[in-house]
Structures are given as C-alpha cells and as structure tokens.
Amino acid sequence: MGRIGKRELIVPPGVEIKISAASFQVKGPKGTLAQEYKPGIKIEFKDGKLLTICHSKDPQALALQGLYNSLAKNMIDGVTKGFEKRLELVGVGYRAAKQGKGLQMSLGYSHPIIIEPPAGIDFEVEGQNKITVKGIDKQLVGELAAEIRQMRKVEPYKGKGVRYQGEIVRKKAGKAAKTASGA
C-alpha cells in the first residue's frame, strides 16, 4: 500500500511534541500548532522520531495514516522554518501596500481592497506589485494566497491580474483583424 504513512519523521532539536488521546501538538521556535486525529490511527513519539501507526488493513484507515503523517511533517516544518507564498500583481495601476498588519490593494475596481490577516499570518510587500504571505500553518498560508489571487484572476488576453510568482499564463490570441472582403 502507501509508503507515506510508514515513514519516520525525524524531529529536530528544539521542537516539542505532546500527544493526547485524540490530538497532538507541535511546539517550536516559531510557534505552536495542534491537530486532532481519528482513533483508528496511533501516533507515537520516541527516540526523536514521530511515527503514525495503523493496525487496520482498511484502505480508508491507511489513507488517514498517510494524511496524518503528512500533516505532522508540515507542522514540524512550519514551526521550524515556516511557509510562504509569493504573489505578483500584473497590470497598469495594480498595486499593493501594507496598512498596519493588513494589506491594501488597488486592482482596478472603484474601491481599494483591504485584507486583514488571520492570527499567525504576516504580509510583506516588495515594491508595489509583489506580495509575500508568510506563516507557520501551510494550509492557512495557501488558502489566504488563493483568496488574494481570486480577487482579480489573471485574464487570458493581456495577462493582467494577480498570479503566483513564476506562474506561467498562456495567452489567447485576440479577435482576428478583418481582411478586405473580395471587393
């Protein structure tokens, strides 16, 4: 079956792990994250390694074992290194500025868009058209970056909008010019 659930996660020094009956908590230099898990999966921490164990042969239980192993790995990476997503604003007049802890964007609408970050998320703005979303929770960082991107989707004709840094936008050919009709 799957191999992800069976891998041993090496916990770096400075990271504490607390396991209770239905949840586990990871505490590190950047913060603390907690995750609940289903009773069919057993999570163990010994000798500096975190293990997810499943005694069932049920495919759904084995899938959950891999899920909790990946979530634990992301939590360990988050409290030690953190996660970030970079966005670019492409278009005339599209700009972003930091406003307190929040983010104010001008995306061609009649009003500015103001986004207040949830707890644990920080914004950085480079110049006027590059935004970095940073945090320790991978899911929250990705979700917020996706919400910002949805504010003005990249349109396929000129490539204007909010995109991830390095994202390749395939442009469509515009309407073909009329040719002289046999006159």
Side-chain angles (χ1 to χ4, degrees):
M1 285 281 169
R3 294 187 189 114
I4 293 209
K6 296 175 185 170
R7 71 181 169 187
E8 296 177 343
L9 301 175
I10 297 170
V11 179
V15 175
E16 297 175 22
I17 296 187
K18 294 179 185 171
I19 300 171
S20 65
S23 68
F24 64 98
Q25 184 178 20
V26 179
K27 184 177 180 182
K30 291 192 176 257
T32 304
L33 292 171
Q35 175 67 45
E36 293 182 357
Y37 62 93
K38 301 228 178 196
I41 307 300
K42 186 177 177 188
I43 296 179
E44 288 183 358
F45 177 62
K46 60 182 176 183
D47 300 331
K49 294 180 181 175
L50 187 70
L51 304 166
T52 51
I53 300 166
C54 179
H55 296 293
S56 172
K57 297 293 181 200
D58 178 34
Q60 187 174 7
L62 292 171
L64 286 174
Q65 178 188 11
L67 170 73
Y68 292 128
N69 194 295
S70 293
L71 289 174
K73 181 181 183 327
N74 288 337
M75 290 167 67
I76 292 168
D77 289 347
V79 298
T80 54
K81 296 179 249 171
F83 293 102
E84 67 178 36
K85 287 276 189 182
R86 297 175 184 267
L87 300 163
E88 296 176 338
L89 307 178
V90 178
V92 176
Y94 289 11
R95 63 180 59 94
K98 213 166 160 177
Q99 185 180 34
K101 284 192 167 201
L103 183 69
Q104 178 178 349
M105 297 186 300
S106 176
L107 297 175
Y109 296 116
S110 62
H111 60 283
I113 298 170
I114 298 171
I115 299 174
E116 290 298 325
I121 298 291
D122 293 320
F123 293 123
E124 285 183 8
V125 179
E126 297 174 36
Q128 291 184 336
N129 62 347
K130 293 189 188 312
I131 302 169
T132 305
V133 182
K134 290 184 172 187
I136 62 171
D137 188 349
K138 185 175 185 177
Q139 181 179 351
L140 197 57
V141 169
E143 186 177 330
L144 189 59
E147 286 176 13
I148 292 171
R149 187 173 179 267
Q150 289 296 315
M151 300 290 176
R152 178 66 88 174
K153 287 185 180 178
V154 178
E155 57 96 15
Y157 296 103
K158 293 184 181 177
K160 293 173 22 175
V162 180
R163 64 175 80 167
Y164 294 112
Q165 186 175 17
E167 179 181 359
I168 297 170
V169 177
R170 293 181 54 194
K171 293 184 182 176
K172 291 183 178 179
K175 188 188 269 188
K178 286 189 176 182
T179 57
S181 56

